[in-house]
Amino acid sequence: MQFLIKSSVGKKLIMAITGQLMFLFIVFHLIGNTSLYFSWINTYAKHLHDLWPLVWIVRFVMITLLSLHLVFGIQLTLENRSAKPDAYAIKKSLRATFASKNMIWTGLIIAGFLLYHLLHFTFQVVHPEMSAKLNTDVMGLPDLFSMIVFGFQNFFILSLYIASLIALTLHLVHGLQSSFQTMGLNTDQTQPVIAKAGVIASLILLIGYASIPVVIFIGIVKG
Ligand code: HEM
């Protein structure tokens, strides 16, 4: 345990494991969100909330993963910045991409986005008059659908989501391949495949998530 939280290899391993587990959440969350396209999101959310013990376990796990990822991410960045550049670091910086150089910034943007997102859709305090806790649909279910549609008709909220999703994509493009490398799961042969698969997965998530606010903003999905 001491090794994990004290050494830089241990911290990287924690970053890799927590990052990959949060990636799974992001995949399942998108699958759940697609229920909006079939006007099922209120029913989907009702079924989910009926499983409240499971929801609270996932929330607890997610808060733990996010806290570890954030704390060790900031620590590693500070350690890297204060370390003297050696030959390995110089060689590495020649290979650095925009995504890899800006992991701390894209990570902090995602953290800020998450705070706003929770205030918007979970605590429902951004537009309290549209809160699904107050408004119900024809079946008497909390009206998440109208709350989401109302939110994404606003250009400022649309832009905020798109900008944050671009930051998430950049973060995932580097984070996914780097996590496999840290776990020692890539070899010279598998490295290009893993890198390509990571880019494709990140782009699918970007298109999937961004499509929701965009189709609402341009009026394809209406309240
Ligand atoms: C267009 C994109 C998105 C939509 C429409 C959306 C929709 C929602 C909704 C409706 C909820 C509240 C669920 C409920 O209480 O029943 C929610 C919660 C949440 N979302 Fe999103 N989301 C989006 C993007 C994201 C992204 C990109 C992330 C992660 C990076 C994310 C992470 C979360 C988290 C952590 C929660 C809290 C879950 C909980 O209440 O336990 N969301 N989202």
Side-chain angles (χ1 to χ4, degrees), residues 22 25-26 29-30 33 36 41 44-46 48-49 55-56 58-59 62 110 113-114 117-118 121-124 144 147-148 152 161 164-165 168 208-213 216:
M22 287 193 292
F25 171 85
I26 293 172
H29 190 45
L30 176 59
N33 283 344
L36 188 130
I41 197 151
Y44 165 72
K46 157 95 175 64
L48 204 64
H49 286 278
V55 170
W56 275 103
V58 172
R59 282 178 175 165
M62 281 295 290
I110 298 163
F113 161 77
L114 266 180
H117 186 56
L118 292 183
F121 289 155
T122 300
F123 298 110
Q124 305 176 3
L144 271 177
M147 181 184 70
I148 296 170
F152 291 146
Y161 270 74
S164 308
L165 289 170
L168 176 66
Y209 271 114
S211 70
I212 298 173
I216 292 173

Side-chain angles (χ1 to χ4, degrees), residues 127-211:
H127 294 289
E129 73 284 8
M130 289 308 290
S131 164
K133 289 174 186 153
L134 297 179
N135 303 301
T136 50
D137 64 11
V138 287
M139 286 163 69
L141 299 174
D143 199 359
L144 271 177
F145 180 82
S146 301
M147 181 184 70
I148 296 170
V149 170
F150 180 81
F152 291 146
Q153 282 167 343
N154 178 314
F155 183 72
F156 169 75
I157 296 182
L158 169 85
S159 315
L160 197 119
Y161 270 74
I162 300 294
S164 308
L165 289 170
I166 292 173
L168 176 66
T169 308
L170 288 169
H171 202 80
L172 290 179
V173 162
H174 177 72
L176 280 174
Q177 64 152 318
S178 166
S179 65
F180 280 99
Q181 200 157 7
T182 303
M183 293 165 122
L185 295 176
N186 55 359
T187 61
D188 283 350
Q189 282 80 39
T190 57
Q191 158 64 22
V193 181
I194 288 177
K196 219 174 266 173
V199 173
I200 292 171
S202 309
L203 288 178
I204 291 175
L205 289 176
L206 172 65
I207 294 167
Y209 271 114
S211 70

Side-chain angles (χ1 to χ4, degrees), residues 59-74:
R59 282 178 175 165
F60 178 76
V61 171
M62 281 295 290
I63 293 170
T64 309
L65 295 175
L66 189 66
S67 311
L68 289 171
H69 200 81
L70 211 78
V71 169
F72 287 114
I74 293 172

Side-chain angles (χ1 to χ4, degrees), residues 18-133:
T18 52
Q20 289 198 357
L21 291 172
M22 287 193 292
F23 173 77
L24 286 182
F25 171 85
I26 293 172
V27 171
F28 283 110
H29 190 45
L30 176 59
I31 296 172
N33 283 344
T34 56
S35 60
L36 188 130
Y37 284 122
F38 311 100
S39 303
W40 285 342
I41 197 151
N42 295 348
T43 315
Y44 165 72
K46 157 95 175 64
H47 288 316
L48 204 64
H49 286 278
D50 285 346
L51 301 170
W52 61 267
L54 186 72
V55 170
W56 275 103
I57 291 171
V58 172
R59 282 178 175 165
F60 178 76
V61 171
M62 281 295 290
I63 293 170
T64 309
L65 295 175
L66 189 66
S67 311
L68 289 171
H69 200 81
L70 211 78
V71 169
F72 287 114
I74 293 172
Q75 269 191 23
L76 278 170
T77 307
L78 295 177
E79 282 169 20
N80 284 344
R81 293 212 170 148
S82 62
K84 287 201 194 99
D86 56 17
Y88 172 70
I90 292 166
K91 198 173 149 205
K92 221 174 118 189
S93 84
L94 290 176
R95 278 187 284 121
T97 60
F98 178 80
S100 74
K101 279 190 282 189
N102 291 291
M103 286 303 274
I104 183 71
W105 301 117
T106 49
L108 291 175
I109 292 172
I110 298 163
F113 161 77
L114 266 180
L115 205 64
Y116 178 82
H117 186 56
L118 292 183
L119 291 174
H120 192 184
F121 289 155
T122 300
F123 298 110
Q124 305 176 3
V125 293
V126 173
H127 294 289
E129 73 284 8
M130 289 308 290
S131 164
K133 289 174 186 153

